Amino acid sequence: MKPLLDELAKLIGPAHVLTEGDLSAYENDWRKRTQGRALAVLRPGSTEEVSQVVAACARWRVLHPDSPLSLVPQGGNTGLVVGSTPDTSGRQIVLSLQRMNRVRHIDSANLTITVDAGCILQTVQEHARAAGYLFALSLAAEGSCTIGGNLAANAGGTQVLRFGNARELCLGLEVVNAQGDIWPGLSGLRKDNTGYDLRHLYIGSEGTLGIITAATLKLYPLPAAQLTAWAAVPSMAAAVELLGLGQRYLGANLTGFEVMGQFALGLVGQHFGQLRLPFAESPYCVLLENSDQESEAHARHQLESLLEAAMENGCVSDAVVAESLTQAAALWQIRESIPLAQAEEGLNIKHDISVPISAIPAFVAATDALLTQTIAGVRLVTFGHLGDGNLHYNVQAPLGVDAAEFLRAQEPLVNRLVFDSVVQFGGSISAEHGIGSLKVDHLVHYKSPVALQAMRAIKQALDPHNLLNPGRVLRVDVDHAGT
Amino acid sequence: MKPLLDELAKLIGPAHVLTEGDLSAYENDWRKRTQGRALAVLRPGSTEEVSQVVAACARWRVLHPDSPLSLVPQGGNTGLVVGSTPDTSGRQIVLSLQRMNRVRHIDSANLTITVDAGCILQTVQEHARAAGYLFALSLAAEGSCTIGGNLAANAGGTQVLRFGNARELCLGLEVVNAQGDIWPGLSGLRKDNTGYDLRHLYIGSEGTLGIITAATLKLYPLPAAQLTAWAAVPSMAAAVELLGLGQRYLGANLTGFEVMGQFALGLVGQHFGQLRLPFAESPYCVLLENSDQESEAHARHQLESLLEAAMENGCVSDAVVAESLTQAAALWQIRESIPLAQAEEGLNIKHDISVPISAIPAFVAATDALLTQTIAGVRLVTFGHLGDGNLHYNVQAPLGVDAAEFLRAQEPLVNRLVFDSVVQFGGSISAEHGIGSLKVDHLVHYKSPVALQAMRAIKQALDPHNLLNPGRVLRVDVDHAGT
């Protein structure tokens, strides 16, 4: 590989081809589940350099058809499914986009912002806000994740209800394909029916079909006011009822709708005693966010009208509207503390699933019953983006049982029970985190064979040498006839 | 072909295999530009029958590798780019989805409706409305076009500004692929990150990759009130300014924003004298629609606030808000009469283009100047969905020049000038109508070669025998190695 590494060093500069020292930030995954070993870490500084690097590696593969060399594109390396780190073979090259972090421009009249793939999500949000606009993707890792990674994984987050996933916020892409050619698809167009939608094919493909190097993204005018409420609801069915009322009363102004189960909130109370939890005795609580273009007074009036109607209807037993930004932030902090409280409580089995919203109450009832019957004392941490039908349905060891031992012994069974139930209710085993290498085998088991066959055909058509992020999303045989 | 037709008659019943009589409704395109000749017209009654028909034709192609047999999927046959009618060879089979017109079900809590592909768009709208919901796709042909065709073409229309194209309204698809297998992708999920997004690949592929047999579509709560306004604006730049103000004041409630040039409105006045045209002397007029979840009073107050601010700002010179549904309908009728008035005035060269909204004023100024310099007296009919950056930029013969002769002589030149200008301003040569067979050669000229190569690779991977709608969107060589 020495000649290839020398060539790459010439292309992007030896300082940006890392082969020595501590590379763990590139090699280990975010949740520290795996430790990989990279042949090298490349840090190209421009789309042209990415193009040249990929072309050089593609040529190498043609000249060395049996070489296992491949590229692992990487943004902020904050993914949750081990999709952006190298395996342990020492034959994978990490291609980090972090140096490409320029905001290219904001087009106010078109409501778009064009950025390099390596821009940190929070940087994009801040640039938009400084110009008077909202970039409506928001998620826990926003201080470190990059927009390229967000798009490669089709990230979700807390504002999907109104603005959609990362996919729906993207109008155009610049992509380096598996041959090293640049697709100049940085469109700022809202309508473009000129052939197959390559943008949507690259988005969510987790770096297996091409490397996103830049994107043109949708902006929205900043709301005049944003109000947060916290409601106690007697059941998951009542939470779904409240969602329907909220959509009817608030329309597109309903920008957040998070549900949290009593046990999940109890963990927060236990491990973060300083947080004040409203209605902690309620079976479920809901956090609502109302964003208004008009005024705070109007936003408050609308939110209070909704909550009054909901209390009359019976789907809300009690509610509070935040009186200040500080109070609103405190309510969001409770929601965001659930994963941290879980970690304090010990290792647990995480799921990121979705079912149709109408099926959520029955899904939770059936799956709760199944798990508690199968594993005595198992504790269920249920919370998530109810407005999107997306639950983080996590499973904690019974009280007093060693968490690590529980995971080792029960994870396969728990996953099977939960995923079987998800599929039975017409749902998805990965709502927002993706497949990576963590869920490749699950996908083969649960996805339609017709869909899998189409995916394999597309992968082989666009990346015949399996150069880009092999083994992620799906496994394919390399087409040696093409080499 | 006789044995194949006999087999097909056995599969779906001889009454649904049409080979005789007047088949012109299936063979001629909507705008009567072409007259095709079908080997047969098939009218399957279920997804299973579509699957069996495609499988039988695919087998025939394998046994007869040199046979030019192919399938042309067809919905309401209202497309504008000759994408759903057979060529003149007499070797293409039309596969009409019209008998598959069942609304399968509405899921209120999930805000979705699931329908057969052959459902008329208006039927879907009416079912949704009867249940208290809005299905937010609306376009001129809604009384005859089918939802399958809308999705295959990624239809646009008048509400894209708020709700997106057909693509954005679709959560899941059922598709019969080129091998005759059924992909059961009828998801009602808002989040599903389990591999490549096949839905978005089939949507907009114009029946060249698979046959859409059913879809699960998004619904929204019906607005409490919908108000329409008509504003005179001094220039296209002022119209763009008004759009920005409208987005800031009304947010997602701004559901319509149509611009119309003075000459386009003049044609309406001339040919439909009974219509009252407000502000006919203004260089441009804008039609705005404000949809409100709260009340008519609130909607009116918001719209009036916007128009006051716009008049103060100077981007609106005069405005009127419709006082009744009848008045609102009359304003929309003016907008919808423009294509009819154009037809009355004589044949013309139509374009369906988009550029970034910020570039619209400069695009119109530059292209107007170019055309009037090149063809003395040429008349420009400019109108369209400004909120989406989508103009129907049509070119009418100079006064006194024979329109048919003008088209024959000037269409290639006019298309070249307009499309060159569109591309120079970062736009698309087909914003909402698609490519069909009408724009295949234009696409090869104007689309990125890297994108075209990816499209060809995908087509060959998913339909190696080129069985589905060959020659539409793109031309490919049949992979005889695969036969």
Side-chain angles (χ1 to χ4, degrees), chain A residues 107 192-194 208 294 298 358 428 430 447, chain B residues 107 192-194 196 294 298 358 428 430 447:
Chain A
D107 180 341
D192 179 14
N193 279 346
T194 57
T208 64
E294 194 172 335
H298 183 256
S358 50
S428 164
S430 187
K447 188 98 175 173
Chain B
D107 180 342
D192 179 15
N193 279 347
T194 56
Y196 307 157
E294 193 171 337
H298 183 255
S358 49
S428 165
S430 188
K447 188 97 175 173

mmCIF file with all atom_site columns, all heavy atoms in Angstrom, chain A residues 107 192-194 208 294 298 358 428 430 447, chain B residues 107 192-194 196 294 298 358 428 430 447:
data_model
loop_
_atom_site.group_PDB
_atom_site.id
_atom_site.type_symbol
_atom_site.label_atom_id
_atom_site.label_alt_id
_atom_site.label_comp_id
_atom_site.label_asym_id
_atom_site.label_entity_id
_atom_site.label_seq_id
_atom_site.pdbx_PDB_ins_code
_atom_site.Cartn_x
_atom_site.Cartn_y
_atom_site.Cartn_z
_atom_site.occupancy
_atom_site.B_iso_or_equiv
_atom_site.pdbx_formal_charge
_atom_site.auth_seq_id
_atom_site.auth_comp_id
_atom_site.auth_asym_id
_atom_site.auth_atom_id
_atom_site.pdbx_PDB_model_num
ATOM 1   N N   . ASP A 1 107 ? -28.613 32.383 0.673   1.00 0.00 ? 107 ASP A N   1
ATOM 2   C CA  . ASP A 1 107 ? -29.436 33.069 -0.320  1.00 0.00 ? 107 ASP A CA  1
ATOM 3   C C   . ASP A 1 107 ? -30.776 33.387 0.357   1.00 0.00 ? 107 ASP A C   1
ATOM 4   O O   . ASP A 1 107 ? -31.646 32.531 0.470   1.00 0.00 ? 107 ASP A O   1
ATOM 5   C CB  . ASP A 1 107 ? -29.624 32.164 -1.543  1.00 0.00 ? 107 ASP A CB  1
ATOM 6   C CG  . ASP A 1 107 ? -30.466 32.811 -2.638  1.00 0.00 ? 107 ASP A CG  1
ATOM 7   O OD1 . ASP A 1 107 ? -31.198 33.780 -2.352  1.00 0.00 ? 107 ASP A OD1 1
ATOM 8   O OD2 . ASP A 1 107 ? -30.399 32.337 -3.787  1.00 0.00 ? 107 ASP A OD2 1
ATOM 9   N N   . ASP A 1 192 ? -37.734 20.193 -9.523  1.00 0.00 ? 192 ASP A N   1
ATOM 10  C CA  . ASP A 1 192 ? -36.806 19.800 -10.576 1.00 0.00 ? 192 ASP A CA  1
ATOM 11  C C   . ASP A 1 192 ? -37.113 18.364 -10.961 1.00 0.00 ? 192 ASP A C   1
ATOM 12  O O   . ASP A 1 192 ? -36.653 17.431 -10.314 1.00 0.00 ? 192 ASP A O   1
ATOM 13  C CB  . ASP A 1 192 ? -35.364 19.941 -10.075 1.00 0.00 ? 192 ASP A CB  1
ATOM 14  C CG  . ASP A 1 192 ? -34.360 19.528 -11.131 1.00 0.00 ? 192 ASP A CG  1
ATOM 15  O OD1 . ASP A 1 192 ? -34.750 19.391 -12.309 1.00 0.00 ? 192 ASP A OD1 1
ATOM 16  O OD2 . ASP A 1 192 ? -33.180 19.331 -10.789 1.00 0.00 ? 192 ASP A OD2 1
ATOM 17  N N   . ASN A 1 193 ? -37.915 18.182 -12.009 1.00 0.00 ? 193 ASN A N   1
ATOM 18  C CA  . ASN A 1 193 ? -38.302 16.832 -12.436 1.00 0.00 ? 193 ASN A CA  1
ATOM 19  C C   . ASN A 1 193 ? -37.532 16.417 -13.687 1.00 0.00 ? 193 ASN A C   1
ATOM 20  O O   . ASN A 1 193 ? -38.100 16.124 -14.726 1.00 0.00 ? 193 ASN A O   1
ATOM 21  C CB  . ASN A 1 193 ? -39.816 16.769 -12.663 1.00 0.00 ? 193 ASN A CB  1
ATOM 22  C CG  . ASN A 1 193 ? -40.577 16.581 -11.368 1.00 0.00 ? 193 ASN A CG  1
ATOM 23  O OD1 . ASN A 1 193 ? -39.995 16.254 -10.342 1.00 0.00 ? 193 ASN A OD1 1
ATOM 24  N ND2 . ASN A 1 193 ? -41.885 16.786 -11.396 1.00 0.00 ? 193 ASN A ND2 1
ATOM 25  N N   . THR A 1 194 ? -36.214 16.399 -13.558 1.00 0.00 ? 194 THR A N   1
ATOM 26  C CA  . THR A 1 194 ? -35.376 15.986 -14.686 1.00 0.00 ? 194 THR A CA  1
ATOM 27  C C   . THR A 1 194 ? -34.663 14.679 -14.353 1.00 0.00 ? 194 THR A C   1
ATOM 28  O O   . THR A 1 194 ? -33.452 14.635 -14.196 1.00 0.00 ? 194 THR A O   1
ATOM 29  C CB  . THR A 1 194 ? -34.341 17.075 -15.036 1.00 0.00 ? 194 THR A CB  1
ATOM 30  O OG1 . THR A 1 194 ? -33.565 17.348 -13.862 1.00 0.00 ? 194 THR A OG1 1
ATOM 31  C CG2 . THR A 1 194 ? -35.005 18.350 -15.504 1.00 0.00 ? 194 THR A CG2 1
ATOM 32  N N   . THR A 1 208 ? -22.320 4.668  1.404   1.00 0.00 ? 208 THR A N   1
ATOM 33  C CA  . THR A 1 208 ? -22.046 3.442  0.646   1.00 0.00 ? 208 THR A CA  1
ATOM 34  C C   . THR A 1 208 ? -22.184 3.628  -0.857  1.00 0.00 ? 208 THR A C   1
ATOM 35  O O   . THR A 1 208 ? -21.786 2.752  -1.626  1.00 0.00 ? 208 THR A O   1
ATOM 36  C CB  . THR A 1 208 ? -22.993 2.297  1.068   1.00 0.00 ? 208 THR A CB  1
ATOM 37  O OG1 . THR A 1 208 ? -24.342 2.666  0.740   1.00 0.00 ? 208 THR A OG1 1
ATOM 38  C CG2 . THR A 1 208 ? -22.893 2.005  2.548   1.00 0.00 ? 208 THR A CG2 1
ATOM 39  N N   . GLU A 1 294 ? -46.379 35.132 14.754  1.00 0.00 ? 294 GLU A N   1
ATOM 40  C CA  . GLU A 1 294 ? -47.097 36.376 15.050  1.00 0.00 ? 294 GLU A CA  1
ATOM 41  C C   . GLU A 1 294 ? -46.546 37.066 16.297  1.00 0.00 ? 294 GLU A C   1
ATOM 42  O O   . GLU A 1 294 ? -45.939 38.122 16.214  1.00 0.00 ? 294 GLU A O   1
ATOM 43  C CB  . GLU A 1 294 ? -48.585 36.030 15.220  1.00 0.00 ? 294 GLU A CB  1
ATOM 44  C CG  . GLU A 1 294 ? -49.505 37.232 15.195  1.00 0.00 ? 294 GLU A CG  1
ATOM 45  C CD  . GLU A 1 294 ? -50.976 36.786 15.176  1.00 0.00 ? 294 GLU A CD  1
ATOM 46  O OE1 . GLU A 1 294 ? -51.250 35.651 14.712  1.00 0.00 ? 294 GLU A OE1 1
ATOM 47  O OE2 . GLU A 1 294 ? -51.824 37.551 15.632  1.00 0.00 ? 294 GLU A OE2 1
ATOM 48  N N   . HIS A 1 298 ? -49.971 35.726 21.115  1.00 0.00 ? 298 HIS A N   1
ATOM 49  C CA  . HIS A 1 298 ? -50.782 34.845 20.291  1.00 0.00 ? 298 HIS A CA  1
ATOM 50  C C   . HIS A 1 298 ? -50.410 33.380 20.507  1.00 0.00 ? 298 HIS A C   1
ATOM 51  O O   . HIS A 1 298 ? -51.284 32.506 20.623  1.00 0.00 ? 298 HIS A O   1
ATOM 52  C CB  . HIS A 1 298 ? -50.637 35.217 18.808  1.00 0.00 ? 298 HIS A CB  1
ATOM 53  C CG  . HIS A 1 298 ? -51.501 34.403 17.908  1.00 0.00 ? 298 HIS A CG  1
ATOM 54  N ND1 . HIS A 1 298 ? -51.005 33.384 17.123  1.00 0.00 ? 298 HIS A ND1 1
ATOM 55  C CD2 . HIS A 1 298 ? -52.845 34.424 17.693  1.00 0.00 ? 298 HIS A CD2 1
ATOM 56  C CE1 . HIS A 1 298 ? -52.008 32.825 16.458  1.00 0.00 ? 298 HIS A CE1 1
ATOM 57  N NE2 . HIS A 1 298 ? -53.127 33.435 16.785  1.00 0.00 ? 298 HIS A NE2 1
ATOM 58  N N   . SER A 1 358 ? -50.916 5.795  15.016  1.00 0.00 ? 358 SER A N   1
ATOM 59  C CA  . SER A 1 358 ? -52.151 5.187  15.506  1.00 0.00 ? 358 SER A CA  1
ATOM 60  C C   . SER A 1 358 ? -51.900 3.857  16.201  1.00 0.00 ? 358 SER A C   1
ATOM 61  O O   . SER A 1 358 ? -52.708 3.418  17.018  1.00 0.00 ? 358 SER A O   1
ATOM 62  C CB  . SER A 1 358 ? -53.101 4.967  14.326  1.00 0.00 ? 358 SER A CB  1
ATOM 63  O OG  . SER A 1 358 ? -52.408 4.306  13.269  1.00 0.00 ? 358 SER A OG  1
ATOM 64  N N   . SER A 1 428 ? -40.707 0.154  11.715  1.00 0.00 ? 428 SER A N   1
ATOM 65  C CA  . SER A 1 428 ? -39.321 0.105  11.252  1.00 0.00 ? 428 SER A CA  1
ATOM 66  C C   . SER A 1 428 ? -38.393 -0.180 12.416  1.00 0.00 ? 428 SER A C   1
ATOM 67  O O   . SER A 1 428 ? -38.534 0.406  13.491  1.00 0.00 ? 428 SER A O   1
ATOM 68  C CB  . SER A 1 428 ? -38.941 1.449  10.612  1.00 0.00 ? 428 SER A CB  1
ATOM 69  O OG  . SER A 1 428 ? -37.537 1.558  10.499  1.00 0.00 ? 428 SER A OG  1
ATOM 70  N N   . SER A 1 430 ? -35.318 0.654  12.509  1.00 0.00 ? 430 SER A N   1
ATOM 71  C CA  . SER A 1 430 ? -34.395 1.777  12.697  1.00 0.00 ? 430 SER A CA  1
ATOM 72  C C   . SER A 1 430 ? -35.039 3.043  12.156  1.00 0.00 ? 430 SER A C   1
ATOM 73  O O   . SER A 1 430 ? -35.037 3.285  10.961  1.00 0.00 ? 430 SER A O   1
ATOM 74  C CB  . SER A 1 430 ? -33.054 1.525  12.019  1.00 0.00 ? 430 SER A CB  1
ATOM 75  O OG  . SER A 1 430 ? -32.154 2.570  12.376  1.00 0.00 ? 430 SER A OG  1
ATOM 76  N N   . LYS A 1 447 ? -36.153 -6.878 6.496   1.00 0.00 ? 447 LYS A N   1
ATOM 77  C CA  . LYS A 1 447 ? -36.530 -6.075 5.326   1.00 0.00 ? 447 LYS A CA  1
ATOM 78  C C   . LYS A 1 447 ? -37.080 -6.985 4.225   1.00 0.00 ? 447 LYS A C   1
ATOM 79  O O   . LYS A 1 447 ? -36.639 -8.129 4.086   1.00 0.00 ? 447 LYS A O   1
ATOM 80  C CB  . LYS A 1 447 ? -35.290 -5.326 4.829   1.00 0.00 ? 447 LYS A CB  1
ATOM 81  C CG  . LYS A 1 447 ? -35.552 -4.300 3.734   1.00 0.00 ? 447 LYS A CG  1
ATOM 82  C CD  . LYS A 1 447 ? -35.667 -2.904 4.276   1.00 0.00 ? 447 LYS A CD  1
ATOM 83  C CE  . LYS A 1 447 ? -35.803 -1.869 3.176   1.00 0.00 ? 447 LYS A CE  1
ATOM 84  N NZ  . LYS A 1 447 ? -36.081 -0.541 3.735   1.00 0.00 ? 447 LYS A NZ  1
ATOM 85  N N   . ASP B 1 107 ? -56.313 6.378  7.955   1.00 0.00 ? 107 ASP B N   1
ATOM 86  C CA  . ASP B 1 107 ? -55.882 6.211  9.341   1.00 0.00 ? 107 ASP B CA  1
ATOM 87  C C   . ASP B 1 107 ? -55.811 7.610  9.954   1.00 0.00 ? 107 ASP B C   1
ATOM 88  O O   . ASP B 1 107 ? -54.850 8.346  9.754   1.00 0.00 ? 107 ASP B O   1
ATOM 89  C CB  . ASP B 1 107 ? -54.511 5.514  9.355   1.00 0.00 ? 107 ASP B CB  1
ATOM 90  C CG  . ASP B 1 107 ? -53.983 5.288  10.768  1.00 0.00 ? 107 ASP B CG  1
ATOM 91  O OD1 . ASP B 1 107 ? -54.471 5.949  11.712  1.00 0.00 ? 107 ASP B OD1 1
ATOM 92  O OD2 . ASP B 1 107 ? -53.069 4.457  10.920  1.00 0.00 ? 107 ASP B OD2 1
ATOM 93  N N   . ASP B 1 192 ? -38.027 6.181  8.790   1.00 0.00 ? 192 ASP B N   1
ATOM 94  C CA  . ASP B 1 192 ? -37.638 4.798  8.511   1.00 0.00 ? 192 ASP B CA  1
ATOM 95  C C   . ASP B 1 192 ? -36.280 4.825  7.828   1.00 0.00 ? 192 ASP B C   1
ATOM 96  O O   . ASP B 1 192 ? -36.186 5.011  6.625   1.00 0.00 ? 192 ASP B O   1
ATOM 97  C CB  . ASP B 1 192 ? -38.694 4.128  7.616   1.00 0.00 ? 192 ASP B CB  1
ATOM 98  C CG  . ASP B 1 192 ? -38.320 2.695  7.278   1.00 0.00 ? 192 ASP B CG  1
ATOM 99  O OD1 . ASP B 1 192 ? -37.423 2.136  7.933   1.00 0.00 ? 192 ASP B OD1 1
ATOM 100 O OD2 . ASP B 1 192 ? -38.935 2.135  6.347   1.00 0.00 ? 192 ASP B OD2 1
ATOM 101 N N   . ASN B 1 193 ? -35.222 4.647  8.616   1.00 0.00 ? 193 ASN B N   1
ATOM 102 C CA  . ASN B 1 193 ? -33.870 4.685  8.059   1.00 0.00 ? 193 ASN B CA  1
ATOM 103 C C   . ASN B 1 193 ? -33.297 3.282  7.940   1.00 0.00 ? 193 ASN B C   1
ATOM 104 O O   . ASN B 1 193 ? -32.262 2.953  8.514   1.00 0.00 ? 193 ASN B O   1
ATOM 105 C CB  . ASN B 1 193 ? -32.968 5.584  8.915   1.00 0.00 ? 193 ASN B CB  1
ATOM 106 C CG  . ASN B 1 193 ? -33.159 7.055  8.571   1.00 0.00 ? 193 ASN B CG  1
ATOM 107 O OD1 . ASN B 1 193 ? -33.756 7.389  7.560   1.00 0.00 ? 193 ASN B OD1 1
ATOM 108 N ND2 . ASN B 1 193 ? -32.647 7.940  9.416   1.00 0.00 ? 193 ASN B ND2 1
ATOM 109 N N   . THR B 1 194 ? -33.977 2.452  7.150   1.00 0.00 ? 194 THR B N   1
ATOM 110 C CA  . THR B 1 194 ? -33.493 1.082  6.948   1.00 0.00 ? 194 THR B CA  1
ATOM 111 C C   . THR B 1 194 ? -33.095 0.878  5.496   1.00 0.00 ? 194 THR B C   1
ATOM 112 O O   . THR B 1 194 ? -33.742 0.162  4.744   1.00 0.00 ? 194 THR B O   1
ATOM 113 C CB  . THR B 1 194 ? -34.568 0.050  7.338   1.00 0.00 ? 194 THR B CB  1
ATOM 114 O OG1 . THR B 1 194 ? -35.764 0.331  6.583   1.00 0.00 ? 194 THR B OG1 1
ATOM 115 C CG2 . THR B 1 194 ? -34.895 0.105  8.812   1.00 0.00 ? 194 THR B CG2 1
ATOM 116 N N   . TYR B 1 196 ? -31.561 2.154  1.495   1.00 0.00 ? 196 TYR B N   1
ATOM 117 C CA  . TYR B 1 196 ? -31.771 3.142  0.437   1.00 0.00 ? 196 TYR B CA  1
ATOM 118 C C   . TYR B 1 196 ? -33.252 3.462  0.282   1.00 0.00 ? 196 TYR B C   1
ATOM 119 O O   . TYR B 1 196 ? -34.109 2.588  0.406   1.00 0.00 ? 196 TYR B O   1
ATOM 120 C CB  . TYR B 1 196 ? -31.213 2.623  -0.896  1.00 0.00 ? 196 TYR B CB  1
ATOM 121 C CG  . TYR B 1 196 ? -29.777 2.160  -0.826  1.00 0.00 ? 196 TYR B CG  1
ATOM 122 C CD1 . TYR B 1 196 ? -29.275 1.252  -1.756  1.00 0.00 ? 196 TYR B CD1 1
ATOM 123 C CD2 . TYR B 1 196 ? -28.915 2.620  0.167   1.00 0.00 ? 196 TYR B CD2 1
ATOM 124 C CE1 . TYR B 1 196 ? -27.956 0.811  -1.693  1.00 0.00 ? 196 TYR B CE1 1
ATOM 125 C CE2 . TYR B 1 196 ? -27.602 2.187  0.233   1.00 0.00 ? 196 TYR B CE2 1
ATOM 126 C CZ  . TYR B 1 196 ? -27.129 1.275  -0.694  1.00 0.00 ? 196 TYR B CZ  1
ATOM 127 O OH  . TYR B 1 196 ? -25.836 0.847  -0.624  1.00 0.00 ? 196 TYR B OH  1
ATOM 128 N N   . GLU B 1 294 ? -57.087 28.683 12.769  1.00 0.00 ? 294 GLU B N   1
ATOM 129 C CA  . GLU B 1 294 ? -57.767 29.314 13.901  1.00 0.00 ? 294 GLU B CA  1
ATOM 130 C C   . GLU B 1 294 ? -59.180 29.771 13.514  1.00 0.00 ? 294 GLU B C   1
ATOM 131 O O   . GLU B 1 294 ? -60.162 29.223 13.983  1.00 0.00 ? 294 GLU B O   1
ATOM 132 C CB  . GLU B 1 294 ? -56.906 30.497 14.353  1.00 0.00 ? 294 GLU B CB  1
ATOM 133 C CG  . GLU B 1 294 ? -57.287 31.065 15.696  1.00 0.00 ? 294 GLU B CG  1
ATOM 134 C CD  . GLU B 1 294 ? -56.256 32.091 16.167  1.00 0.00 ? 294 GLU B CD  1
ATOM 135 O OE1 . GLU B 1 294 ? -55.090 32.037 15.713  1.00 0.00 ? 294 GLU B OE1 1
ATOM 136 O OE2 . GLU B 1 294 ? -56.632 32.960 16.969  1.00 0.00 ? 294 GLU B OE2 1
ATOM 137 N N   . HIS B 1 298 ? -59.147 35.688 12.139  1.00 0.00 ? 298 HIS B N   1
ATOM 138 C CA  . HIS B 1 298 ? -57.695 35.715 12.330  1.00 0.00 ? 298 HIS B CA  1
ATOM 139 C C   . HIS B 1 298 ? -56.966 35.698 10.981  1.00 0.00 ? 298 HIS B C   1
ATOM 140 O O   . HIS B 1 298 ? -56.005 36.433 10.770  1.00 0.00 ? 298 HIS B O   1
ATOM 141 C CB  . HIS B 1 298 ? -57.249 34.531 13.195  1.00 0.00 ? 298 HIS B CB  1
ATOM 142 C CG  . HIS B 1 298 ? -55.778 34.552 13.494  1.00 0.00 ? 298 HIS B CG  1
ATOM 143 N ND1 . HIS B 1 298 ? -54.887 33.701 12.878  1.00 0.00 ? 298 HIS B ND1 1
ATOM 144 C CD2 . HIS B 1 298 ? -55.047 35.348 14.306  1.00 0.00 ? 298 HIS B CD2 1
ATOM 145 C CE1 . HIS B 1 298 ? -53.666 33.955 13.315  1.00 0.00 ? 298 HIS B CE1 1
ATOM 146 N NE2 . HIS B 1 298 ? -53.728 34.956 14.187  1.00 0.00 ? 298 HIS B NE2 1
ATOM 147 N N   . SER B 1 358 ? -34.534 33.669 -5.869  1.00 0.00 ? 358 SER B N   1
ATOM 148 C CA  . SER B 1 358 ? -33.762 34.912 -5.873  1.00 0.00 ? 358 SER B CA  1
ATOM 149 C C   . SER B 1 358 ? -33.324 35.308 -7.279  1.00 0.00 ? 358 SER B C   1
ATOM 150 O O   . SER B 1 358 ? -33.042 36.478 -7.543  1.00 0.00 ? 358 SER B O   1
ATOM 151 C CB  . SER B 1 358 ? -32.522 34.755 -4.986  1.00 0.00 ? 358 SER B CB  1
ATOM 152 O OG  . SER B 1 358 ? -31.846 33.549 -5.329  1.00 0.00 ? 358 SER B OG  1
ATOM 153 N N   . SER B 1 428 ? -33.754 24.480 -13.757 1.00 0.00 ? 428 SER B N   1
ATOM 154 C CA  . SER B 1 428 ? -34.147 23.188 -14.307 1.00 0.00 ? 428 SER B CA  1
ATOM 155 C C   . SER B 1 428 ? -35.020 23.382 -15.540 1.00 0.00 ? 428 SER B C   1
ATOM 156 O O   . SER B 1 428 ? -35.921 24.217 -15.541 1.00 0.00 ? 428 SER B O   1
ATOM 157 C CB  . SER B 1 428 ? -34.933 22.399 -13.257 1.00 0.00 ? 428 SER B CB  1
ATOM 158 O OG  . SER B 1 428 ? -35.616 21.313 -13.864 1.00 0.00 ? 428 SER B OG  1
ATOM 159 N N   . SER B 1 430 ? -37.137 21.244 -16.610 1.00 0.00 ? 430 SER B N   1
ATOM 160 C CA  . SER B 1 430 ? -38.472 20.673 -16.383 1.00 0.00 ? 430 SER B CA  1
ATOM 161 C C   . SER B 1 430 ? -38.748 20.675 -14.891 1.00 0.00 ? 430 SER B C   1
ATOM 162 O O   . SER B 1 430 ? -38.294 19.793 -14.158 1.00 0.00 ? 430 SER B O   1
ATOM 163 C CB  . SER B 1 430 ? -38.588 19.263 -16.951 1.00 0.00 ? 430 SER B CB  1
ATOM 164 O OG  . SER B 1 430 ? -39.937 18.838 -16.859 1.00 0.00 ? 430 SER B OG  1
ATOM 165 N N   . LYS B 1 447 ? -28.278 17.965 -18.744 1.00 0.00 ? 447 LYS B N   1
ATOM 166 C CA  . LYS B 1 447 ? -28.050 17.345 -17.432 1.00 0.00 ? 447 LYS B CA  1
ATOM 167 C C   . LYS B 1 447 ? -26.573 16.983 -17.281 1.00 0.00 ? 447 LYS B C   1
ATOM 168 O O   . LYS B 1 447 ? -25.900 16.650 -18.253 1.00 0.00 ? 447 LYS B O   1
ATOM 169 C CB  . LYS B 1 447 ? -28.911 16.079 -17.327 1.00 0.00 ? 447 LYS B CB  1
ATOM 170 C CG  . LYS B 1 447 ? -28.929 15.419 -15.961 1.00 0.00 ? 447 LYS B CG  1
ATOM 171 C CD  . LYS B 1 447 ? -30.125 15.824 -15.155 1.00 0.00 ? 447 LYS B CD  1
ATOM 172 C CE  . LYS B 1 447 ? -30.210 15.078 -13.838 1.00 0.00 ? 447 LYS B CE  1
ATOM 173 N NZ  . LYS B 1 447 ? -31.294 15.614 -12.996 1.00 0.00 ? 447 LYS B NZ  1
#
